Amino acid sequence: MEENIISGICCDVENCVHNNGSCCCTAREIHVNHRANGATETVCETFSEI
């Protein structure tokens, strides 16, 4: 079975069920809140803890 990966989306959150262990997001779609603590940070609302 082929894994769904969102092209161009990298994720380093190790405890998210959508992270395939290679920093790739496997969610069907993502929702990112517009708030951030800095220019290199976003808040992913699709996060779901393992």
Side-chain angles (χ1 to χ4, degrees):
M1 183 178 189
E2 192 171 312
E3 186 176 54
N4 177 49
I5 295 174
I6 301 175
S7 179
I9 301 297
C10 298
C11 176
D12 61 358
V13 180
E14 295 175 2
N15 64 333
C16 181
V17 298
H18 303 296
N19 185 330
N20 72 351
S22 297
C23 292
C24 297
C25 182
T26 61
R28 287 184 178 259
E29 62 183 9
I30 62 169
H31 299 276
V32 179
N33 194 316
H34 62 276
R35 295 173 298 168
N37 292 327
T40 61
E41 187 175 310
T42 60
V43 180
C44 181
E45 295 179 330
T46 310
F47 170 78
S48 183
E49 191 169 8
I50 295 175

